[in-house]
Amino acid sequence: MTGPVVVAGATGFVGRHLVAHLQAQGVSVRCGTRDPARGRRQHPERSWVRLDVDDPASLHAAFEGASAVVHLVHHMNAPGADLIDTETAGARAVADAAKACGVARVVYLGAPIPPGSTSAHLRARAATGATLHAGGVPCFEVRASMIVGAGSESWRIVRDLALRLPVMVLPRWLRSRTQPIAIADVVAALARCLTLPIEAAGTWDLPGPETLSAREILVRTAAVAGRRPVTLAVPVLTPALSSTWIRLVTRADMAIARKLVDGLTDDLVVDGEGLYAQCPDLPRTPFDEATAQALADPSDQPGGSGAAWEALAGRLSLPA
């Protein structure tokens, strides 16, 4: 690479991990965020630039002289009806600025899209990828389902449910399956896409090493924490009611919980090895190992009433 890599969304969950990984490899990184002052307070050793997908001038300034852009911006708090338009408008601005600045490639983290999905969250992911591919700069789109790691909203919901409920009421939609993947594996894949030949640009699935139902993910997570909750299957708890229940039990934001639950009602399972067929040496961390690492991360330990609730649930739970 002849110029720095711009990470758009560098203060987010994946962005923070990716920047650390790239810098450890000696890659020059520009950390893009709407609030660079906040970024500098958190990580003064990193190079911060203002990057707002709603402000094309900021994109041109951030991308000038860069060799690659990693697009990790996602408007999870946008209203569902506006999410697709908001996401595609931002992606179009990123693609236009990247082309104007001579950026060699764009790397984007998306998600598997099941046929006929009604989830606005997942359809926005697909529309963003399609917009970037059409933007005139070679695009490497990596599609991962649930990412296991402290700081991920979907993981936080799983973690809190598994550690706070000695008895789990499990709705029918938790039978849906996904291929959860460790944050370290996602970061390694994104970094590899920065060095693959341009001819390899395209859409690459990134399945985790196991296919698990949402129910199995909750039970396995509890087991890694040394717990064995009692589970009760119920047919009538809808995704809408479930998102309210999740908000009461976990630390999830209500709007984000609803979008994530809508996505969980679909099977997010892909056929084949995806990017691993192209790069068989990429890591594939077993689910239980990724879960143990996430549970041990001190950055996502609740305090106060949350910690007390989890301690009580631990005493009430059966041993794993």
Side-chain angles (χ1 to χ4, degrees):
M1 288 178 285
T2 58
V5 173
V6 178
V7 176
T11 58
F13 164 57
V14 176
R16 295 193 305 271
H17 287 272
L18 178 62
V19 170
H21 179 86
L22 293 176
Q23 289 187 327
Q25 292 184 326
V27 177
S28 175
V29 182
R30 289 180 192 162
C31 301
T33 176
R34 287 180 295 179
D35 187 358
R38 174 171 168 259
R40 291 188 192 100
R41 288 193 297 270
Q42 295 175 339
H43 292 282
E45 77 285 0
R46 297 179 179 177
S47 176
W48 294 93
V49 294
R50 182 173 176 272
L51 191 157
D52 185 344
V53 297
D54 297 324
D55 179 4
S58 75
L59 298 179
H60 283 263
F63 295 173
E64 190 64 40
S67 62
V69 171
V70 184
H71 183 54
L72 301 174
V73 177
H74 189 25
H75 299 81
M76 282 293 286
N77 286 311
D82 301 329
L83 183 60
I84 296 174
D85 289 342
T86 301
E87 294 280 271
T88 52
R92 192 174 301 112
V94 167
D96 290 346
K99 184 176 181 180
C101 293
V103 172
R105 71 180 72 199
V106 173
V107 177
Y108 166 62
L109 178 61
I113 313 297
S117 174
T118 59
S119 165
H121 164 60
L122 293 178
R123 287 186 287 118
R125 302 277 75 197
T128 298
T131 301
L132 292 172
H133 284 295
V137 175
C139 177
F140 291 76
E141 179 181 2
V142 175
R143 290 183 170 182
S145 55
M146 192 188 89
I147 301 176
V148 180
S152 159
E153 284 294 333
S154 57
W155 166 251
R156 181 171 291 165
I157 289 173
V158 168
R159 179 213 172 278
D160 288 357
L161 290 176
L163 270 65
R164 294 181 178 186
L165 296 177
V167 178
M168 291 186 186
V169 177
L170 303 179
R172 181 178 296 169
W173 58 263
L174 282 178
R175 296 174 185 172
S176 61
R177 300 171 303 147
T178 188
Q179 293 165 308
I181 184 167
I183 178 60
D185 298 354
V186 173
V187 164
L190 293 174
R192 182 64 60 85
C193 287
L194 293 169
T195 61
L196 286 173
I198 287 294
E199 296 74 30
T203 300
W204 294 97
D205 290 317
L206 194 71
E210 296 181 68
T211 298
L212 302 172
S213 69
R215 177 192 179 279
E216 288 172 323
I217 288 172
L218 287 170
V219 171
R220 291 270 292 272
T221 299
V224 171
R227 305 177 183 194
R228 181 162 56 91
V230 175
T231 60
L232 303 173
V234 294
V236 295
L237 196 59
T238 66
L241 289 174
S242 296
S243 60
T244 302
W245 168 66
I246 285 171
R247 177 62 190 91
L248 292 172
V249 175
T250 76
R251 293 166 288 166
D253 175 89
M254 183 64 182
I256 293 176
R258 178 59 188 270
K259 290 184 177 70
L260 292 173
V261 167
D262 283 345
L264 284 174
T265 60
D266 296 309
D267 278 349
L268 299 182
V269 177
V270 301
D271 295 325
E273 292 292 284
L275 187 61
Y276 290 108
Q278 176 83 5
C279 308
D281 60 320
L282 284 172
R284 302 188 78 172
T285 306
F287 176 77
D288 288 355
E289 181 180 336
T291 295
Q293 293 170 356
L295 290 175
D297 193 316
S299 69
D300 195 33
Q301 303 301 321
S305 60
W309 187 352
E310 290 177 12
L312 175 61
R315 289 194 291 270
L316 295 175
S317 296
L318 299 172

